[in-house]
Amino acid sequence: MGSFKENVQETFLGLSESAQERWRDFTQFLQETWPVLLLLLVILMAFWWYADPPPPRHVSLGIGSPGSSSELLGKRYAEYFAKKGITVELVTTKGAQENIDRLADRNDSLQAAFVQAGVVHTSGISGIQSLGAIDYDPVWFFYRGPELKEKDFQSADAKYKYFSSKKISIGVQGSGSYAQATKIFKLSGNEAGPGFLNLQEDQAVKAILKGEIDGIFIVDSINSPNVQALLNDPNLFIVTWARADAYVKLIPYLRLLDVPQGSFNLKRDFPSSDMKILATTTNLLIDERVHPAMQYLFLEAAREINGKASFFSARGEFPSFKNTMLPESPVALHYEKNSYPFLVAYLPFWLAELVNRLIFILLPFLIISYPLLQALPGYRTRRMQNKINRLYSDLKSFEQDLLTNFDLSQRDEYLKKLNLLEYQALNIKVSRRLTGEYYALRTSIDYVRNCLNRSTQPYQFEEAPTDY
């Protein structure tokens, strides 16, 4: 019995030899079957390319009206995509309703858009999917001073009655501001009065800053240039929502955002007390036909751009997949659980996407094709056996020719033919199962050679003389 060291060495030697044998079998398999594998791969790649073409280098994004936060956000998305080699075309629209209509139109080229939650009724809409909510859009109601206090209004609807006689812009029809304003006013029992104007947001902001109108109802991010211009005007104040909790209960997509005293402007002490602001969310909607790779890139852009901490949101809060306007894209569901493919962190987008696609094609192909071809009944054995049989057939034909046309002077040529047959036999790579037949073939070739080298030729028959 050997020592422990010898046993270990023998074990590793056995494993090494087994691994080498497996590798030889695999390389031999590739050498023998590469035409079949190549044909299968070409068919698979053609089907894959047709069924799932590579991602485009251009995408169109609806950003709403000029001066809105969506326009600024769209530019940041375009910069992010540009770093990945993708061009984003920013498409100015009249608002959420137009974005929804164009995304649902199968003949429209718009592929993605920023749309506020609750702007349109989503029942019956098809062909559009959600990549989640990406930001808060507070519901701002700015008015020109003096600042109004809650004690100035005795009844619950006194505030609305006060503003019903004022010139208030609630946005153009189809815009997010118009949709949210009419919904809130209607819920409060106050329909839009004759003093309510339908101005574009940028026009309304200019009008209230000049004192041409008394108030503006605008739904937009705090980072919007329009909102910032309103917050920085000391003559403008914000209507507080005394029954904000009730609105959130009655309008499920609304959220409550806390604004501490003085947080907009400490020097001005604006707001002069803690307040709550109603807010909806901006959702990233897409045409369901958008390439999955583009959807992943949109989600990664949302994480990079909107996932940072801001005035109202915590770090990592967006993109959010809670209470989305429309059914989530399958890509968004996958992203929510698995995040983005790690290759993008190390490779350019187009290369990472190509490698990722090839991995999901080649690996299953190799995993399936290798055991499949190996498992074909006698596939490899039959191929090797056919090679041996062909040489046996050549050898038999050669002997038959010697029997009928033997010429002693051509013996050297006969030997050359046998040497060629033996060379062909030497180049056959066979499995262990056919080793016996392989050496039997070589023995047969050698037997014929020995026959040719005899002093008495078995292939030459001389008739004995007949005595009469």
Side-chain angles (χ1 to χ4, degrees), residues 104-334:
D105 186 352
R106 301 295 85 182
N107 297 318
D108 197 286
S109 61
L110 191 67
Q111 296 169 281
F114 300 127
V115 178
Q116 289 176 2
V119 171
V120 294
H121 295 291
T122 56
S123 59
I125 294 177
S126 61
I128 306 177
Q129 294 177 338
S130 173
L131 294 182
I134 57 172
D135 200 0
Y136 287 120
D137 280 337
V139 179
W140 310 94
F141 190 174
F142 288 92
Y143 64 94
R144 298 193 66 82
E147 185 177 7
L148 303 174
K149 303 294 183 180
E150 289 298 325
K151 63 181 181 180
D152 298 329
F153 304 97
Q154 300 300 318
S155 62
D157 63 346
K159 189 178 297 185
Y160 292 102
K161 291 180 179 179
Y162 173 82
F163 284 110
S164 64
S165 60
K166 306 292 184 180
K167 292 182 178 180
I168 307 295
S169 174
I170 60 173
V172 297
Q173 293 189 16
S175 68
S177 297
Y178 178 86
Q180 306 298 350
T182 53
K183 188 171 294 187
I184 290 175
F185 288 148
K186 184 177 181 180
L187 188 64
S188 304
N190 296 274
E191 300 291 341
F196 285 6
L197 309 175
N198 300 113
L199 302 177
Q200 285 278 2
E201 288 183 355
D202 55 337
Q203 297 175 0
V205 170
K206 293 177 182 177
I208 194 172
L209 292 177
K210 292 179 180 179
E212 297 173 353
I213 60 176
D214 302 301
I216 176 174
F217 196 100
I218 181 172
V219 182
D220 208 346
S221 167
I222 190 173
N223 298 317
S224 162
N226 288 333
V227 173
Q228 284 297 311
L230 298 172
L231 288 173
N232 291 326
D233 189 322
N235 298 312
L236 299 181
F237 298 93
I238 301 174
V239 172
T240 58
W241 302 97
R243 297 179 292 173
D245 292 301
Y247 286 111
V248 172
K249 287 291 185 182
L250 296 172
I251 307 177
Y253 64 82
L254 289 180
R255 300 287 182 272
L256 270 183
L257 303 178
D258 294 320
V259 181
Q261 178 180 346
S263 57
F264 289 146
N265 190 318
L266 275 174
K267 183 177 180 180
R268 179 184 161 193
D269 193 29
F270 177 55
S272 58
S273 61
D274 294 347
M275 64 184 300
K276 293 182 182 293
I277 292 184
L278 292 173
T280 182
T281 54
T282 295
N283 287 260
L284 180 55
L285 303 184
I286 59 164
D287 183 327
E288 63 181 5
R289 298 170 296 178
V290 171
H291 195 284
M294 290 293 100
Q295 296 185 42
Y296 271 121
L297 204 55
F298 268 116
L299 288 164
E300 191 66 4
R303 185 192 66 80
E304 178 72 20
I305 297 171
N306 301 103
K308 298 177 181 178
S310 65
F311 189 90
F312 288 118
S313 62
R315 183 177 182 273
E317 187 172 350
F318 293 109
S320 172
F321 304 99
K322 298 178 181 178
N323 301 320
T324 55
M325 293 175 57
L326 290 161
E328 284 183 64
S329 160
V331 174
L333 293 173
H334 182 273

Side-chain angles (χ1 to χ4, degrees), residues 58-111:
H58 176 275
V59 63
S60 55
L61 175 64
I63 57 171
S65 60
S68 65
S69 60
S70 294
E71 182 183 34
L72 289 179
L73 187 59
K75 291 179 180 179
R76 296 182 66 186
Y77 271 62
E79 292 173 359
Y80 180 87
F81 273 68
K83 296 176 182 177
K84 306 295 182 180
I86 308 296
T87 300
V88 174
E89 177 188 358
L90 301 180
V91 181
T92 301
T93 63
K94 294 179 180 179
Q97 186 62 60
E98 181 181 343
N99 289 340
I100 291 287
D101 293 340
R102 294 186 62 175
L103 287 175
D105 186 352
R106 301 295 85 182
N107 297 318
D108 197 286
S109 61
L110 191 67
Q111 296 169 281

